[in-house]
Amino acid sequence: MQVNLDSRTYYNLIIKQGKHVFARLREHFAVVPLKQQQNSQELITRLELAINLQEPVDVQMNYGFDQEQIQDFHGVLSQTPAGALLIQDQKTKQIHQLMPDLLRHISFS
């Protein structure tokens, strides 16, 4: 009697991929806790410090002016010569452009 070991390996691979997809979906739809909304003067001060010090910061930004949905970013802030705000994510190394009008909270890590 012969046992097909390839089918067991294939089954384990499918289960592993399913767990990975589920973990990514759970992370994607995780609820982000709201941090206290900072006033414009405090945001400007922290933006200047974050850009000048080049240290990692946590940034919360609204999705839109009329929405309470937010997104968290963690990384180093920089500014282009044109004035655009960029943050490089510490984990993924991806660069995201931030909208200054939609920023709600900046804190140093």
Side-chain angles (χ1 to χ4, degrees):
M1 178 175 183
Q2 292 182 343
V3 177
N4 187 356
L5 296 178
D6 290 335
S7 64
R8 190 157 187 86
T9 306
Y10 183 68
Y11 174 77
N12 288 340
L13 180 64
I14 290 173
I15 295 298
K16 184 178 179 180
Q17 287 176 343
K19 287 181 179 179
H20 180 70
V21 168
F22 182 70
R24 293 207 46 196
L25 281 172
R26 188 176 62 222
E27 180 182 313
H28 177 74
F29 289 108
V31 176
V32 178
L34 281 175
K35 296 181 181 175
Q36 180 182 357
Q37 174 79 42
Q38 295 173 334
N39 63 34
S40 58
Q41 187 59 44
E42 192 171 358
L43 283 171
I44 291 169
T45 304
R46 290 185 184 212
L47 272 174
E48 289 174 350
L49 278 173
I51 291 170
N52 291 334
L53 295 177
Q54 290 294 301
E55 291 185 10
V57 292
D58 294 321
V59 176
Q60 260 190 1
M61 186 174 80
N62 290 333
Y63 278 116
F65 291 109
D66 59 345
Q67 296 181 358
E68 280 298 315
Q69 293 177 330
I70 59 169
Q71 187 170 8
D72 272 339
F73 297 97
H74 176 74
V76 177
L77 270 174
S78 60
Q79 189 173 20
T80 66
L85 286 175
L86 304 175
I87 189 165
Q88 182 176 12
D89 192 297
Q90 293 290 90
K91 293 180 184 176
T92 63
K93 303 298 183 197
Q94 289 182 334
I95 296 177
H96 303 277
Q97 184 170 354
L98 301 177
M99 301 286 295
D101 300 343
L102 301 178
L103 294 178
R104 62 175 286 115
H105 187 87
I106 299 173
S107 59
F108 288 89
S109 305

